[in-house]
């Protein structure tokens, strides 16, 4: 379901849903009593139509799926549909029964796959593609109104005639119940009683919007302007969007607030253009996860800043929202053209922006591109940069990003700080190339050298160490190294003979013979 549809669905008051469910259930039970003599028919052919089909349509549409169908709901709906069909297996026509049951089995398998893949900690590459495909199939085909309508129509078609008064009554009931949702009757009932309470309170005027989504607002109130409480802004074109407050500063006797405009519709709100509102107590506020997902951060993400000028393909610069939200080595990501591109923080600096006679100080962080993650190739470079004001995300506290494309025999250089993103590769394939280990004192150069030696020897490569510090023999004693050095006396003797060759008579024949021996 699209975000706007989901928000519209949320705008239905709970009392309306409960009322629709109660009235529909009572009407259904009355129909059952009139035509079967009991509100709970015991005959399997009657039960499949009444309590197992229409009743589940009522409960599913009014109560169970009051926001939108989730893959887990589709698992339940398809399994319930199968159980219902199995109750009439012995009396139902075989071919139509197989078609209906196959539909339920297909939805069940797709939904189970979606739930399984989506709960994986490392949902990237093929897992992400499978999750996207199965999600769309599950939430559309697994809706209670679709599955249980299929079972309901199956029961009517094969157990009752079209001319039967009960059949006509049930079809009319089914048609009316399904029609009230697309006709927006529940939304209309909600607005009749509580429309006044849904008017939000104005708190400021939009001064300017920096393309595409950074808004500057002159605030009329000292209310909290923090990320914890999203606001509602009415844009110049009349569209209503949820806005995430970022920071505020004092200017010319006024408070100037800065916010990030999301693409989440704030439906059911009356207001004037260019005005920002506080949501009313009646308004359902989107969660932080919903906001971050809409902005491109995904699950378990935290908004840390937005892209500013002088960013490039290899290095981005972004303004931090919280002065303590970033650190050197930290893993970040940005959504570019639908791709999650990872970056690593390398530096930070302070900056200043002038607003009339006042100045706003803030922090700018720099981060180098790590690339787009691919389960086969690891992190590969992305060929473009994010647009101005694009949101930048990190993982939320307590959640660790885990990405690994290394094979079992690859050499692991280490992990990106604060994550489980392994960095390394097939060192053995490129061991003939020149390699240098550079770093300041205490950064781990020697330990990395020992790890490379052990990895190389384990892979069957002979290693010669020029040990100027006499550390290697002791540290590598478990590998039984061979000492290729010579004793002091022989070293002095060789030195003397080399000197003799250099300083001997013309040709130095005798001296060379002595050195040769």
């Amino acid at each position: 379901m699209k975000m706007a549809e989901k928000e519209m669905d949320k705008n239905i008051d709970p009392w309306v849903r409960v009322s629709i469910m109660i009235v529909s259930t009572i009407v259904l039970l009355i129909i059952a009593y009139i035509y079967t003599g009991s509100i709970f028919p015991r005959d399997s052919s009657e039960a499949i139509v009444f309590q197992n089909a229409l009743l589940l349509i009522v409960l599913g549409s009014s109560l169970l799926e009051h926001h939108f169908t989730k893959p887990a709901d589709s698992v339940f709906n398809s399994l319930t549909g199968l159980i219902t069909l199995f109750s009439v297996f012995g009396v139902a026509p075989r071919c139509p029964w197989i078609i209906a049951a196959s539909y339920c089995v297909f939805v069940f398998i797709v939904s189970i796959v979606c739930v399984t893949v989506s709960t994986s900690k490392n949902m990237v590459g093929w897992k992400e593609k499978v999750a996207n495909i199965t999600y769309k199939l599950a939430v559309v085909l697994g809706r209670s109104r679709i599955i249980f309508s299929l079972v309901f129509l199956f029961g009517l078609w094969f157990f009752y005639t079209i001319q039967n008064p009960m059949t006509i009554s049930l079809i009319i009931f089914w048609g009316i119940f399904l029609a009230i949702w697309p006709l927006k009757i529940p939304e209309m009932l909600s607005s009749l009683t509580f429309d006044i309470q849904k008017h939000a309170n104005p708190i400021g005027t939009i001064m300017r919007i920096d393309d595409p989504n950074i808004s500057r607002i002159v605030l009329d109130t000292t209310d909290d302007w923090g990320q914890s409480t999203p606001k509602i802004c009415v844009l110049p074109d009349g569209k209503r969007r949820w806005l995430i407050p970022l920071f505020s500063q004092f200017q010319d006797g006024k408070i100037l607030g800065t916010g990030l405009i999301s693409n989440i519709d704030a439906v059911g709100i009356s207001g004037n253009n260019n005005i920002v509102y506080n949501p009313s107590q009646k308004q359902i506020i989107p969660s932080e996860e919903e906001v971050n997902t809409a902005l491109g951060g995904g699950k378990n993400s935290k908004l840390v800043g937005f892209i500013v000028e002088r960013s490039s393909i290899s290095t981005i610069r972004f303004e931090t929202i919280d002065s303590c939200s970033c650190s050197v080595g930290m893993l970040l990501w940005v959504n570019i053209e639908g791709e999650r591109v990872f970056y690593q923080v390398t530096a930070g600096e302070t900056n200043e922006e002038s607003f009339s006679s006042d100045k706003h100080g803030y922090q700018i962080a720099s981060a180098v591109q790590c690339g787009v993650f691919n389960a086969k190739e690891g992190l590969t470079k992305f060929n473009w940069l994010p647009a101005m004001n694009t949101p930048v995300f990190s993982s939320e506290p307590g959640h660790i990003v885990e990405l690994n494309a290394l094979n079992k025999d690859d050499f692991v250089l280490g992990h990106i700080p604060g994550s489980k993103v392994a960095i390394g590769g097939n060192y053995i394939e490129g061991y003939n190339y020149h390699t240098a280990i550079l770093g300041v004192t205490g950064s781990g150069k020697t330990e990395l050298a020992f790890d490379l030696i052990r990895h190389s020897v384990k892979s069957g490569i002979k290693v010669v160490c020029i040990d100027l510090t006499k550390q290697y023999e002791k540290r590598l004693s478990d590998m039984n190294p061979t000492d290729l050095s010579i004793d002091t006396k022989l070293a002095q003797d060789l030195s003397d003979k080399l000197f003799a060759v250099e300083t001997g008579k013309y040709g130095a024949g005798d001296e060379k013979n002595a050195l040769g021996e």
Side-chain angles (χ1 to χ4, degrees), residues 201-209 214-221 225 231-236 243 251 254-259 261 272-278:
N201 304 315
I203 59 172
T205 304
I206 297 175
M207 184 178 73
R208 79 171 196 253
I209 297 177
I214 294 294
S215 179
R216 314 288 184 180
I217 301 103
V218 177
L219 300 175
D220 302 327
T221 175
W225 187 257
K231 312 298 181 184
I232 300 169
C233 67
V234 183
L235 301 177
L243 178 144
Q251 176 198 337
K254 299 178 181 179
I255 299 176
L256 184 67
T258 298
I261 303 171
N272 299 320
N273 292 5
N274 295 319
I275 302 297
V276 176
Y277 297 86
N278 250 335

Side-chain angles (χ1 to χ4, degrees), residues 64-344:
L64 299 180
E65 298 176 11
H66 61 284
H67 283 172
F68 59 98
T69 305
K70 300 184 289 295
D73 297 330
S74 299
V75 173
F76 171 80
N77 292 340
S78 57
L79 186 59
T80 305
L82 278 173
I83 294 173
T84 302
L85 290 171
F86 275 122
S87 67
V88 295
F89 176 76
V91 296
R94 189 54 47 87
C95 184
W97 186 94
I98 291 175
I99 295 174
S102 298
Y103 180 89
C104 293
V105 169
F106 175 76
V107 174
F108 179 78
I109 293 174
V110 169
S111 304
I112 283 290
V113 171
C114 182
V115 171
T116 303
V117 175
S118 299
T119 54
S120 173
K121 293 183 179 179
N122 186 19
M123 197 182 74
V124 293
W126 68 269
K127 289 185 179 180
E128 187 175 16
K129 293 180 180 178
V130 170
N132 290 336
I133 295 173
T134 54
Y135 177 84
K136 294 177 182 177
L137 291 173
V139 299
V140 173
L141 301 180
R143 294 179 183 177
S144 59
R145 301 173 200 177
I146 294 180
I147 284 188
F148 298 128
S149 290
L150 175 67
V151 177
F152 162 71
L153 294 174
F154 170 83
L156 279 184
W157 183 263
F158 292 105
F159 296 113
Y160 299 96
T161 62
I162 299 298
Q163 294 78 15
N164 191 318
M166 185 183 73
T167 302
I168 298 173
S169 300
L170 289 173
I171 291 178
I172 292 174
F173 173 86
W174 172 69
I176 292 175
F177 182 82
L178 291 186
I180 64 176
W181 305 100
L183 291 175
K184 300 292 185 294
I185 294 177
E187 287 89 343
M188 182 188 68
L189 294 175
S190 297
S191 64
L192 289 177
T193 307
F194 293 105
D195 186 61
I196 296 177
Q197 297 183 30
K198 288 184 179 177
H199 285 8
N201 304 315
I203 59 172
T205 304
I206 297 175
M207 184 178 73
R208 79 171 196 253
I209 297 177
D210 297 334
D211 185 66
N213 51 18
I214 294 294
S215 179
R216 314 288 184 180
I217 301 103
V218 177
L219 300 175
D220 302 327
T221 175
T222 57
D223 286 355
D224 175 49
W225 187 257
Q227 282 183 263
S228 59
T229 309
K231 312 298 181 184
I232 300 169
C233 67
V234 183
L235 301 177
D237 59 2
K239 293 180 180 178
R240 291 153 175 80
R241 296 284 190 268
W242 284 100
L243 178 144
I244 297 85
L246 300 178
F247 53 82
S248 61
Q249 69 271 353
F250 191 74
Q251 176 198 337
D252 292 336
K254 299 178 181 179
I255 299 176
L256 184 67
T258 298
L260 184 65
I261 303 171
S262 74
N263 59 356
I264 303 178
D265 289 324
V267 297
I269 297 297
S270 300
N272 299 320
N273 292 5
N274 295 319
I275 302 297
V276 176
Y277 297 86
N278 250 335
S280 66
Q281 294 181 350
K282 187 68 180 176
Q283 188 69 32
I284 299 177
I285 300 174
S287 66
E288 182 179 359
E289 182 174 312
E290 287 178 304
V291 171
N292 289 345
T293 299
L295 293 175
K299 291 180 62 178
N300 303 313
S301 64
K302 178 184 178 182
L303 180 65
V304 295
F306 49 92
I307 299 295
V308 296
E309 65 277 358
R310 300 209 320 271
S311 293
S312 65
I313 295 175
S314 60
T315 304
I316 60 169
R317 300 175 76 251
F318 63 95
E319 180 175 343
T320 62
I321 296 173
D322 183 355
S323 60
C324 300
S325 61
C326 293
S327 59
V328 172
M330 184 177 183
L331 185 69
L332 309 167
W333 62 86
V334 176
N335 190 289
I336 310 175
E337 299 175 6
E339 295 280 359
R340 178 177 292 186
V341 185
F342 289 93
Y343 295 83
Q344 187 178 23

Side-chain angles (χ1 to χ4, degrees), residues 42-60:
R42 296 183 179 181
D43 182 78
S44 60
S45 62
E46 293 175 344
I48 193 175
V49 172
F50 284 96
Q51 63 208 50
N52 287 337
L54 279 181
L55 191 57
L56 286 172
I57 295 174
V58 171
L59 292 175

Side-chain angles (χ1 to χ4, degrees), residues 487-503:
D487 58 43
T488 304
K489 183 178 180 302
L490 180 55
Q492 183 61 50
D493 193 20
L494 283 171
S495 178
D496 293 341
K497 286 179 170 55
L498 285 169
F499 182 75
V501 170
E502 293 296 326
T503 60

